[in-house]
């Protein structure tokens, strides 16, 4: 085995042990609970745009985008545009390194605020970004996204909009099939299922009604996807436990 493969093999063994470590698991969950109460995930930027993610998940997405070399990334949930600009920047780097030259990211949001749209469209990487305003599960919007995905070779999907079970399940039904075999459909904020209901006093979602329950429901009838447990065991601190879905067939 080449040295790199040996190293990766050793890492995989270490990650499995790490993922099964109950003390580290409890400490990570406790840290997440404390950090979430401080709105930790709201305080980061990517190339000048606020990105509502944990740094660990941003690094995970970098690994995936390099691995799968998408020519299209579909994202639901734009907010300030940080995740769109992040994806655009990764696609730019892939292109610079000889990957797909015309890869792009398509964002969908029910409410693209004017100031966010202006800033995203003025960004140096905006040529790789397009946006659609509307509910991600409305038939007119899903039709537009499907049209954009037609003919693409490697499609990566990220779901990060309304976090109720019903909405995420509808998003999975609409968008997960666009994921190319070998690529990923990433469902963010599955973490909600593992938190206390008091964390979401003014939200329609919470434990029992979350992206994670939607993932579990979807996977009952979609054997073409498997949860990449290795990713969450590696990250430990992630908003997407059971949310990194790999399309295996
Ligand atoms: C958590 S934020 C997205 C964060 C962004 N992905 C990032 O990493 O910075 C959720 C976004 O979903 C949008 N949203 C809520 N309901 C939606 C729906 N039905 N369809 C599309 N977007 C929706 C909200 O307007 C909000 O901008």
């Amino acid at each position: 085995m080449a040295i790199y493969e040996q190293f990766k093999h050793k890492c995989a063994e270490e990650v499995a042990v790490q993922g099964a470590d109950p003390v580290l698991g409890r400490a990570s969950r406790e840290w997440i609970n404390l950090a979430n109460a401080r709105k930790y995930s709201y305080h980061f930027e990517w190339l000048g745009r606020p990105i509502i993610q944990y740094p660990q998940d941003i690094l995970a997405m970098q690994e995936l985008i390099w691995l799968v070399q998408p020519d299209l990334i579909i994202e639901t949930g734009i907010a300030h545009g940080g995740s769109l600009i992040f994806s655009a920047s990764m696609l730019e780097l892939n292109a610079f390194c000889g990957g797909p030259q015309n890869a792009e990211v398509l964002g969908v949001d029910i409410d693209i605020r004017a100031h966010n749209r202006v800033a995203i469209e003025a960004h140096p990487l905006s040529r790789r970004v397009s946006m659609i305003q509307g509910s991600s599960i409305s038939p007119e919007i899903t039709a537009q996204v499907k049209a954009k995905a037609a003919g693409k070779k490697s499609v990566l999907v990220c779901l990060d909009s309304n976090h109720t079970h019903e909405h995420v399940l509808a998003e999975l039904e609409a968008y997960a099939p666009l994921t190319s075999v070998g690529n990923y459909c990433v469902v963010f904020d599955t973490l909600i299922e593992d938190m206390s209901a008091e964390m979401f006093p003014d939200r329609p979602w919470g434990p029992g009604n979350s992206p994670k329950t939607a993932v579990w429901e979807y996977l009952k009838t979609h054997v073409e996807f498997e949860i990449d447990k290795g990713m969450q065991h590696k990250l430990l601190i992630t908003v997407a436990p059971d949310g990194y879905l790999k399309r295996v067939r």
Side-chain angles (χ1 to χ4, degrees):
M1 215 188 286
I3 291 177
Y4 172 73
E5 275 71 39
Q6 281 176 27
F7 177 72
K8 293 302 292 176
H9 186 72
K10 193 159 181 293
C11 285
E13 287 177 351
E14 290 163 354
V15 163
V17 172
Q18 174 178 284
D21 181 338
V23 178
L24 191 50
R26 269 196 304 280
S28 301
R29 278 192 297 280
E30 188 180 357
W31 183 92
I32 287 171
N33 282 329
L34 292 169
N36 263 22
R38 299 287 179 218
K39 296 189 70 179
Y40 177 84
S41 62
Y42 285 80
H43 305 148
F44 300 94
E45 294 198 354
W46 190 269
L47 300 184
R49 292 313 299 155
I51 180 168
I52 308 171
Q53 295 294 351
Y54 281 6
Q56 287 83 351
D57 289 304
I58 297 173
L59 197 63
M61 291 308 300
Q62 174 276 139
E63 288 191 11
L64 293 185
I65 293 170
W66 176 258
L67 181 72
V68 301
Q69 296 285 320
D71 52 359
L72 178 66
I73 300 177
I74 297 165
E75 295 190 16
T76 65
I78 295 174
H80 304 266
S83 58
L84 282 186
I85 297 300
F86 164 76
S87 292
S89 68
M90 290 300 115
L91 296 176
E92 192 74 22
L93 280 175
N94 281 357
F96 179 75
C97 296
Q101 294 301 299
N102 299 315
E104 52 190 327
V105 53
L106 171 63
V108 178
D109 201 295
I110 198 166
D111 179 17
I112 306 174
R113 303 275 165 92
H115 59 281
N116 287 329
R117 182 185 281 281
V118 167
I120 294 164
E121 289 178 347
H123 197 278
L125 290 167
S126 64
R127 70 186 177 85
R128 292 198 182 268
V129 177
S130 51
M131 294 178 277
I132 303 175
Q133 178 161 290
S135 176
S136 55
I137 59 170
S138 84
E140 309 87 76
I141 300 296
T142 58
Q144 288 179 57
V145 176
K146 284 174 190 168
K148 186 88 173 174
K152 300 292 183 189
K153 290 192 182 71
S154 176
V155 180
L156 172 66
V157 175
C158 300
L159 306 180
D160 189 21
S161 66
N162 178 325
H163 301 313
T164 64
H165 174 99
E166 189 184 15
H167 186 86
V168 178
L169 189 55
E171 283 191 330
L172 281 164
E173 297 288 357
Y175 299 120
L178 303 180
T179 311
S180 312
V181 176
N183 213 314
Y184 281 77
C185 174
V186 182
V187 183
F188 287 103
D189 279 346
T190 46
L191 176 72
I192 290 166
E193 188 62 22
D194 308 329
M195 309 196 81
S196 67
E198 296 83 69
M199 293 292 290
F200 313 100
D202 52 356
R203 299 291 201 174
W205 50 78
N209 173 16
S210 73
K212 195 188 265 186
T213 56
V215 164
W216 289 342
E217 184 73 26
Y218 185 75
L219 292 185
K220 282 180 192 166
T221 51
H222 290 273
V223 295
E224 67 273 26
F225 284 96
E226 289 178 359
I227 295 170
D228 182 349
K229 291 276 185 185
M231 187 60 93
Q232 68 207 53
H233 292 161
K234 172 161 69 176
L235 299 177
L236 293 177
I237 290 172
T238 170
V239 301
D242 286 8
Y244 285 91
L245 307 181
K246 183 171 186 180
R247 183 155 190 187
V248 293
R249 53 179 73 86

